[in-house]
Amino acid sequence: MGTARDLMIGVMDRALGRPVAQGELSLVLAGAELLDLLGVGAVTLDGENLVPGDRPEPFGDPLLDGALAALVPDEPHETVDDWLWRRGRGLAGEYLTAFEAEGLVARPRGSWLRLRGDRPLPVDSPARLRAAHRWAADEPVLATLATFLRLRDDVPDDCPPPEEAARTVFGAVVEALTELDAVRRRRAIENAAFANVWRGA
């Protein structure tokens, strides 16, 4: 549990060296939430469709509770891909807002810190310590998600293969990231062409 939180904290700790785009991060956070919900049986997979299971007691984490509440309870059931795009819309910003409200991050103060930028940084806390332990331990799910964000080159060789449900989620995340990149490239080409038309007018 807490995979998305640990991922977000690790990303923020590494953001100065390897910044991550918000769109990519939001999609991967949605995938991390789904993996946790699958892990506790709050949802199961029927092929690529998400079928809600017995609703557990609230997790005590408003972000994960929000993910639980966002599951589509009735047929037709949502696909993993649809979930990633719907739940992932602006999700990185939601995590940042929640972290600031919980005192888990703070914006730099002092002249020398401002040189590092005004982006919030994780503060020392049990949450940061737990995330650091999971990152250092090469926890398989977290390590795999980190590769999708290019924060590491690959997963350790001794990582066990993921279960079928995790493979389905991982595959959907990769497809969503590829689609997002294609959309951005297409928009860049269209914008460049539009700019050329105006320069030639």
Side-chain angles (χ1 to χ4, degrees):
M1 298 296 291
T3 301
R5 281 179 170 266
D6 294 340
L7 177 68
M8 182 74 176
I9 291 173
V11 168
M12 296 180 73
D13 266 331
R14 293 158 177 78
L16 292 175
R18 293 188 176 185
V20 175
Q22 295 294 295
E24 281 85 348
L25 179 55
S26 291
L27 287 169
V28 178
L29 286 171
E33 288 182 340
L34 183 54
L35 288 166
D36 278 348
L37 293 178
L38 285 163
V40 297
V43 65
T44 59
L45 285 177
D46 180 10
E48 294 188 357
N49 294 325
L50 298 174
V51 181
D54 294 332
R55 186 169 291 269
E57 294 295 321
F59 299 112
D61 173 358
L63 292 162
L64 196 55
D65 285 335
L68 178 64
L71 292 171
V72 176
D74 304 316
E75 295 184 358
H77 295 303
E78 196 170 35
T79 65
V80 176
D81 183 66
D82 288 341
W83 160 271
L84 294 175
W85 287 105
R86 182 174 63 84
R87 175 62 182 168
R89 189 174 296 114
L91 190 57
E94 291 185 26
Y95 269 78
L96 178 57
T97 299
F99 281 9
E100 288 183 314
E102 295 171 13
L104 297 179
V105 298
R107 296 187 181 274
R109 294 182 180 179
S111 57
W112 71 274
L113 282 173
R114 289 197 191 99
L115 296 176
R116 302 175 65 185
D118 190 38
R119 67 187 63 183
L121 299 173
V123 301
D124 290 336
S125 65
R128 187 183 189 187
L129 183 61
R130 186 187 77 162
H133 281 325
R134 288 188 71 183
W135 280 78
D138 290 332
E139 194 273 340
V141 169
L142 199 59
T144 302
L145 295 172
T147 64
F148 298 158
L149 296 172
R150 300 183 177 87
L151 292 175
R152 57 181 302 155
D153 296 327
D154 50 33
V155 297
D157 293 335
D158 58 351
C159 273
E163 298 180 355
E164 183 177 356
R167 289 200 304 272
T168 299
V169 175
F170 289 154
V173 170
V174 170
E175 289 181 8
L177 292 173
T178 302
E179 182 178 347
L180 178 61
D181 182 63
V183 168
R184 284 180 174 161
R185 290 176 184 272
R186 184 166 62 249
R187 286 178 179 171
I189 292 172
E190 291 171 350
N191 290 340
F194 184 74
N196 288 334
V197 168
W198 275 102
R199 280 197 294 268

